[in-house]
Amino acid sequence: MKLLAAVAVLLGPLALATAVPQLEHRVSYDGYRVYRIATHHNAASVKAQLKGFATVPFNLDTDEHLDVAIPPGQISAFESLGLETEVMHEDLGADIAEEGSFAAYRGVEAQAVPSLTWFDSYHSYNDHVQYFNDLQAAFPQNSEIFTIGNSYQGRSIFGIHIWGSGGKGSKPAVYFHGTVHAREWITAKVVEYITYNLLTQYDNDTTVRAVRDSYDFYILPVVNPDGFVYTQTNDRLWRKNRQPRSGSSCVGTDNNRNWPYMWNVSGGASTNPCAETYKGQAAGDTPENQALVAFSQKLRNQGNGIRLYIDWHSYGQYILLPYGYNCQARAANHARQTTLASAVAARIAQPYGTRFTYGPSCSTLYATTGSSVDYMTDVANATYAWTIELRPTGSGGGGFVLPPAQILPSAVEQWEGMKYLLATM
């Protein structure tokens, strides 16, 4: 979810090339070194010093630091600036190659549960589809696969519905999804680990049984399938969907700036089709967002409403509450949400000491307009609507390119937080 604004001094030729629809070769980041630059609340000064560098920005959403990739031919000149930096990737291309060494997924026999080795590596879109099908096939009495629509290029936006003893559709909805932003691969893995535990632990964990019997779960791991596939075939750092726009050679809309609520408010999205946070030509005009909006309305109207919605992103380690469009606005139940977020952050920290910051989205991180959480709060009437930004923070871990060894720990700590939240909210 990190905001990559279209700032001319930071968008070098490589970053601009990723937006051109004719690009069919794989973008190489070999030899690029990624730095976190301390700005000491003077980001403008740092950006001025970066003029002339063909940098690839990882984030531009905080006045405390900038995360940028420097091409190999400019590393020496960059380091001669004497900025205060930490290295996030010594060689971004090498780390992408390591991350992209997918283990084969061969499926399972009928009624068998997939192995936890699924979380040892990242996987293709088709493997994610098969994994959900295999999970559901092992629990056919209490789950079903569903689709909410198709992406611009015609890929299925799929999910799994899980229920407990009350029967299908009888309880308030818990609604999770991941991979809105294509490069945030860890999000699909985290929601899949939550899915795995909700299904497999029902008979031997009293907390899981209680929450399964209290809620209907709707979990969609990859809601931007075109962008996700593109990150694995062409450009690992692609963020948006793959929808072209008339009058522009640039491709893609940020689906988390396209929700039809507070879309016209300025300051939290871009009207430039080449920008990473391009909001679209009209509110809700991407096929992916239209499918999500229709599904959200269905859950709102089905009788029991939406108790909890979480939009999973990376990176930065945040639990973000409403609202994004206004830094002074607060949800009606803000105090309760803050109490829960504090406790969830404490539970997340228990397995490995990972610390999450929590608070309203705009005032805690940055402004967002046309965002999912604001829509879910004020239009879909979710009791709780959060964005969770996953690992990492700081220089450790690698930003969007999270090493495979961190998949399972990231998922485990989120599951600890979710068990508490689901049992307490």
Side-chain angles (χ1 to χ4, degrees):
M1 184 177 175
K2 288 287 183 178
L3 179 61
L4 302 181
V7 178
V9 299
L10 291 179
L11 283 179
L14 177 59
L16 291 176
T18 63
V20 179
Q22 292 84 0
L23 179 68
E24 294 300 336
H25 64 279
R26 180 180 290 275
V27 175
S28 173
Y29 295 98
D30 290 349
Y32 276 69
R33 187 173 295 168
V34 181
Y35 296 88
R36 168 157 289 188
I37 308 169
T39 65
H40 301 289
H41 306 288
N42 191 0
S45 173
V46 174
K47 291 175 188 178
Q49 293 180 74
L50 292 175
K51 287 181 179 179
F53 288 89
T55 62
V56 179
F58 269 39
N59 79 305
L60 293 174
D61 53 41
T62 171
D63 68 351
E64 296 179 355
H65 60 261
L66 301 176
D67 298 346
V68 296
I70 303 294
Q74 293 188 315
I75 289 173
S76 179
F78 170 79
E79 291 188 341
S80 71
L81 296 175
L83 297 170
E84 182 182 332
T85 64
E86 297 176 276
V87 175
M88 297 175 67
H89 294 278
E90 283 287 349
D91 184 337
L92 178 59
D95 289 343
I96 287 173
E98 177 186 359
E99 178 201 45
S101 299
F102 298 165
Y105 179 65
R106 298 183 175 86
V108 297
E109 298 296 329
Q111 303 303 309
V113 178
S115 166
L116 282 172
T117 58
W118 171 259
F119 299 98
D120 291 344
S121 83
Y122 296 100
H123 293 87
S124 69
Y125 167 78
N126 288 335
D127 277 357
H128 284 281
V129 174
Q130 186 61 52
Y131 179 79
F132 257 45
N133 284 332
D134 289 344
L135 272 179
Q136 190 278 328
F139 302 93
Q141 303 305 314
N142 296 96
S143 66
E144 64 182 3
I145 299 295
F146 65 91
T147 61
I148 65 170
N150 293 323
S151 65
Y152 176 79
Q153 294 177 340
R155 294 183 176 90
S156 174
I157 304 172
F158 67 95
I160 191 167
H161 177 194
I162 302 169
W163 60 88
S165 62
K168 181 173 68 173
S170 63
K171 304 294 183 181
V174 172
Y175 176 16
F176 295 158
H177 63 65
T179 329
V180 174
H181 294 146
R183 61 190 169 212
E184 297 167 11
W185 290 4
I186 185 60
T187 62
K189 289 293 185 175
V190 165
V191 299
E192 285 164 348
Y193 187 77
I194 293 168
T195 303
Y196 177 90
N197 280 285
L198 286 170
L199 287 169
T200 63
Q201 300 303 308
Y202 182 78
D203 290 331
N204 53 30
D205 186 316
T206 56
T207 299
V208 173
R209 177 179 290 273
V211 300
R212 272 267 303 273
D213 290 345
S214 298
Y215 302 107
D216 276 70
F217 290 84
Y218 303 86
I219 303 175
L220 300 90
V222 183
V223 298
N224 179 9
D226 297 347
F228 180 62
V229 169
Y230 195 76
T231 64
Q232 298 182 344
T233 59
N234 291 73
D235 184 355
R236 175 62 185 87
L237 298 183
W238 187 260
R239 168 186 170 102
K240 300 184 285 183
N241 78 348
R242 293 295 301 164
Q243 179 181 5
R245 294 291 185 173
S246 61
S248 175
S249 63
C250 292
V251 171
T253 297
D254 182 347
N255 279 314
N256 201 35
R257 302 296 186 277
N258 190 246
W259 288 78
Y261 181 68
M262 297 299 173
W263 182 85
N264 284 320
V265 176
S266 63
S270 177
T271 58
N272 177 3
C274 299
E276 297 282 6
T277 57
Y278 176 55
K279 64 196 294 185
Q281 294 176 338
D285 70 347
T286 71
E288 297 87 2
N289 189 270
Q290 289 166 2
L292 287 166
V293 166
F295 183 67
S296 302
Q297 290 298 316
K298 177 182 176 181
L299 294 183
R300 184 194 70 172
N301 296 332
Q302 68 180 5
N304 298 299
I306 302 169
R307 180 63 58 84
L308 173 66
Y309 167 85
I310 297 181
D311 186 0
W312 302 85
H313 288 264
S314 72
Y315 60 96
Q317 297 174 199
Y318 293 95
I319 301 171
L320 300 175
L321 315 178
Y323 290 95
Y325 76 90
N326 184 317
C327 289
Q328 284 70 51
R330 298 291 184 266
N333 61 349
H334 172 71
R336 176 60 178 161
Q337 296 212 48
T338 300
T339 298
L340 286 171
S342 174
V344 169
R347 295 302 178 102
I348 290 172
Q350 286 182 356
Y352 310 104
T354 312
R355 301 295 175 183
F356 275 65
T357 301
Y358 58 90
S361 180
C362 182
S363 58
T364 302
L365 193 55
Y366 51 73
T368 57
T369 52
S371 69
S372 63
V373 165
D374 291 359
Y375 179 92
M376 296 302 298
T377 299
D378 283 359
V379 181
N381 299 329
T383 306
Y384 307 108
W386 295 359
T387 297
I388 294 185
E389 297 273 2
L390 298 167
R391 292 185 181 196
T393 189
S395 60
F400 300 115
V401 184
L402 191 70
Q406 291 201 39
I407 294 173
L408 194 57
S410 186
V412 167
E413 66 195 12
Q414 290 301 312
W415 173 238
E416 291 303 313
M418 287 303 102
K419 280 200 298 182
Y420 172 83
L421 179 61
L422 294 167
T424 308
M425 65 184 185

